[in-house]
């Protein structure tokens, strides 16, 4: 007879499950980082292996399944973590997840905070921040040049501190242009190339060219108080023009990005206006100037002598007062509508022999003219008292009759 015995059999036909616990999808990691995975299987998990990119997998046979990894061995940027689970039956399942590595040494500048901006200051305040999570950092190796991707080595400049100032004048007269500060953290006085950072410094110390053709289309005095000024664009060969500053009598009035500005309601007066170019580093060009003369109000005039109804005789001085905020170009004197004289400087006056006037009432008029030929008149009435008196001792009464013609 054949006999048989029952044996315990373990059958594993199912696939294991595995999920990545850390890092999260597209998470940024740095320094010494622990990758973690969860794995399960009905019959049992034999191991979980972790592979970064195309690297050799590292196996963990016991839960919790994890791998402590030095991310400074990876380049900055995106990478892929794959978790591979194997169950006791030999079934294999894998999952993958992307993540990012950023082990760059921190670089900031309080004096030149924006890497896209231009600056005129050659003294640059820098702060280096060590890479995190990789143990003690004892200093920094750095290079300053006009390349974009230099990696500092043990032969590069070294500083044990994180805050210091670099004077770019040490590089000679040709310091303008784009520079890059390259820095790596150092451990045991040895640079860690995977932690390299690059910080851009853009220097422009040359003033831009001044605007040309600055004008408002008017030469001399005008009665229009609203003026529009235009000019040709001032250039800058390095950082480029950024804006223009507009001045009136040396005082800054406005800043504009375009080569045109309108000024409204300028009071009467004589002005020296100007404009300069400002480049993106803050350098200013020389100021281009233009004279503006505004006279929008008519002159004020009054007659000082004679007074209304006054009698005058002989050689008499006629006087007037005239004022204008922009200036009086002259005063004209008239008697009975006829011009008898002009005076272009104060005090405004003429001397006239009133014997040339017929005795009696006359009209005296003065007309003040301002700088834009605006005229203001003023008039009064006066008496010319120039009469020739004839007397006779033999015929004293002009109303009486006499029989003698001698006398």
């Amino acid at each position: 007879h054949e006999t048989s015995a029952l044996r315990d059999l373990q059958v594993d036909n199912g696939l294991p499950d595995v999920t990545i616990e850390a890092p999260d999808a597209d998470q940024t990691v740095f320094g010494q980082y622990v990758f973690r995975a969860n794995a399960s299987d009905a019959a049992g998990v034999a191991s979980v292996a972790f592979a970064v990119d195309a690297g050799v997998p590292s196996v963990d046979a016991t839960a919790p399944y994890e791998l402590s990894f030095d991310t400074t061995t990876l380049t900055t940027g995106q990478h892929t973590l794959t978790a591979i689970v194997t169950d006791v039956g030999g079934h294999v399942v894998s999952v993958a997840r992307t993540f990012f590595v950023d082990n760059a040494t921190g670089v900031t500048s309080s004096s030149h905070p924006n890497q896209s901006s231009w600056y005129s200051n050659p003294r640059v305040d820098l702060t280096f921040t060590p890479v995190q999570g990789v143990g003690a950092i004892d200093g920094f190796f750095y290079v300053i040049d006009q390349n974009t991707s230099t990696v500092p080595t043990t032969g590069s400049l070294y500083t044990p501190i994180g805050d210091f100032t670099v004077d770019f004048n040490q590089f000679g007269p040709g310091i303008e242009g784009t520079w890059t500060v390259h820095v790596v953290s150092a451990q045991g006085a040895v640079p860690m190339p995977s932690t390299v950072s690059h910080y851009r410094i853009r220097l422009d110390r040359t003033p831009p060219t001044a605007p040309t053709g600055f004008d408002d289309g008017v030469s001399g005095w005008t009665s229009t108080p609203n003026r529009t000024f235009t000019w040709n664009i001032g250039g800058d060969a390095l950082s480029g023009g950024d804006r223009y500053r507009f001045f009136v009598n040396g005082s800054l009035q406005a800043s504009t990005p375009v080569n045109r500005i309108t000024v409204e309601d300028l009071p009467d007066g004589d002005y020296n206006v100007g404009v300069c170019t400002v480049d993106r580093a803050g350098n200013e060009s020389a100021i281009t100037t233009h004279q503006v003369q505004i006279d929008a109000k008519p002159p004020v005039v009054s007659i000082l002598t004679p007074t209304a109804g006054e009698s005058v005789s002989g050689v008499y001085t006629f006087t007037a007062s005239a004022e204008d905020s922009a200036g009086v170009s002259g005063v004209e004197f008239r008697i009975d509508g006829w011009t008898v004289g002009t005076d272009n400087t104060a005090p405004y006056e003429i001397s006239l022999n009133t014997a040339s006037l017929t005795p009696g009432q006359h009209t005296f008029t003065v007309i003040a003219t301002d700088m834009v030929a605006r005229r203001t008149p003023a008039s009064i009435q006066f008496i010319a008292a120039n009469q020739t008196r004839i007397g006779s001792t033999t015929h004293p009464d002009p109303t009486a009759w006499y029989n003698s013609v001698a006398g």
Side-chain angles (χ1 to χ4, degrees), residues 34-99:
V34 178
F35 298 120
R36 294 186 176 90
N38 290 322
S40 61
D41 184 80
V45 174
S47 66
V48 174
F50 296 89
V52 177
D53 298 330
V56 177
S58 297
V59 178
D60 189 358
T62 58
Y65 304 106
E66 57 187 31
L67 171 66
S68 182
F69 191 88
D70 182 5
T71 64
T72 64
T73 61
L74 302 176
T75 59
T76 297
Q78 188 180 63
H79 297 272
T80 301
L81 172 67
T82 303
I84 309 162
V85 60
T86 303
D87 66 12
V88 294
H91 303 104
V92 178
V93 174
S94 65
V95 292
R97 173 173 292 175
T98 57
F99 65 98

Side-chain angles (χ1 to χ4, degrees), residues 204 206-212 231-244 276-280 283-285:
D204 180 2
T206 302
T209 58
T212 59
W231 56 89
N232 298 322
I233 295 174
D236 187 272
L238 192 57
S239 63
D242 182 62
R243 61 193 183 279
Y244 302 93
C276 74
T277 306
V278 182
D279 66 20
R280 294 173 63 191
N283 300 300
E284 293 187 14
S285 73

Side-chain angles (χ1 to χ4, degrees), residues 17-47:
D17 292 323
V18 62
T19 58
I20 295 175
E21 185 181 63
D24 293 332
D26 293 330
Q27 178 182 340
T28 297
V29 301
F30 53 85
Q32 198 72 26
Y33 187 80
V34 178
F35 298 120
R36 294 186 176 90
N38 290 322
S40 61
D41 184 80
V45 174
S47 66

Side-chain angles (χ1 to χ4, degrees), residues 32-406:
Q32 198 72 26
Y33 187 80
V34 178
F35 298 120
R36 294 186 176 90
N38 290 322
S40 61
D41 184 80
V45 174
S47 66
V48 174
F50 296 89
V52 177
D53 298 330
V56 177
S58 297
V59 178
D60 189 358
T62 58
Y65 304 106
E66 57 187 31
L67 171 66
S68 182
F69 191 88
D70 182 5
T71 64
T72 64
T73 61
L74 302 176
T75 59
T76 297
Q78 188 180 63
H79 297 272
T80 301
L81 172 67
T82 303
I84 309 162
V85 60
T86 303
D87 66 12
V88 294
H91 303 104
V92 178
V93 174
S94 65
V95 292
R97 173 173 292 175
T98 57
F99 65 98
F100 288 87
V101 169
D102 185 2
N103 281 308
T105 302
V107 185
T108 57
S109 173
S110 59
S111 60
H112 298 62
N114 191 332
Q115 296 186 66
S116 297
S117 297
W118 288 85
Y119 298 91
S120 60
N121 179 13
R123 293 180 59 84
V124 181
D125 297 325
L126 292 167
T127 297
F128 295 162
T129 304
V131 60
Q132 304 178 55
V134 294
I137 301 299
D138 49 28
F140 308 91
F141 287 94
Y142 67 97
V143 175
I144 300 175
D145 59 23
Q146 293 187 299
N147 299 320
T148 60
S149 57
T150 302
V151 177
T153 65
T154 52
S156 303
L157 297 172
Y158 176 82
T159 177
I161 60 175
D163 298 296
F164 64 104
T165 298
V166 176
D167 189 346
F168 276 70
N169 286 318
Q170 67 181 297
F171 301 116
I175 67 170
E176 294 185 313
T178 300
W179 295 80
T180 303
V181 179
H182 316 276
V183 58
V184 296
S185 295
Q187 198 171 51
V190 176
M192 305 172 65
S194 62
T195 70
V196 65
S197 287
H198 311 280
Y199 192 88
R200 185 170 61 184
I201 303 292
R202 308 174 85 179
L203 296 178
D204 180 2
R205 306 186 68 195
T206 302
T209 58
T212 59
F214 179 47
D215 199 0
D216 64 345
V218 176
S219 178
W221 289 92
T222 177
S223 61
T224 305
N226 297 341
R227 311 304 313 152
T228 296
F229 301 91
T230 59
W231 56 89
N232 298 322
I233 295 174
D236 187 272
L238 192 57
S239 63
D242 182 62
R243 61 193 183 279
Y244 302 93
R245 287 179 174 167
F246 179 77
F247 301 84
V248 176
N249 290 339
S251 176
L252 177 64
Q253 299 297 312
S255 181
T256 174
V258 297
N259 59 328
R260 179 186 180 92
I261 192 170
T262 297
V263 180
E264 297 183 349
D265 299 324
L266 270 174
D268 285 6
D270 193 342
Y271 299 94
N272 183 42
V273 298
V275 65
C276 74
T277 306
V278 182
D279 66 20
R280 294 173 63 191
N283 300 300
E284 293 187 14
S285 73
I287 298 176
T288 303
T289 61
H290 176 67
Q291 187 179 31
V292 176
Q293 297 170 306
I294 305 295
D295 187 1
K297 298 176 182 179
V300 177
V301 65
S302 61
I303 295 172
L304 300 179
T305 59
T307 58
E310 181 181 346
S311 294
V312 300
S313 61
V315 177
Y316 186 82
T317 300
F318 295 82
T319 63
S321 171
E323 295 180 348
D324 186 85
S325 56
V328 175
S329 65
V331 174
E332 179 184 359
F333 297 85
R334 293 181 180 182
I335 293 179
D336 298 331
W338 295 92
T339 299
V340 293
T342 59
D343 194 353
N344 296 332
T345 58
Y348 303 104
E349 59 185 31
I350 63 166
S351 292
L352 181 69
N353 187 353
T354 60
S356 62
L357 303 176
T358 59
Q361 180 174 278
H362 295 272
T363 299
F364 175 51
T365 301
V366 293
I367 303 172
T369 302
D370 66 12
M371 306 306 290
V372 292
R374 187 179 282 107
R375 296 157 64 86
T376 300
S379 297
I380 63 164
Q381 306 293 318
F382 72 98
I383 305 297
N386 291 297
Q387 293 180 329
T388 302
R389 297 185 177 276
I390 301 176
S392 175
T393 56
T394 58
H395 299 70
D397 185 357
T399 62
W401 291 89
Y402 297 91
N403 60 6
S404 173
V405 296

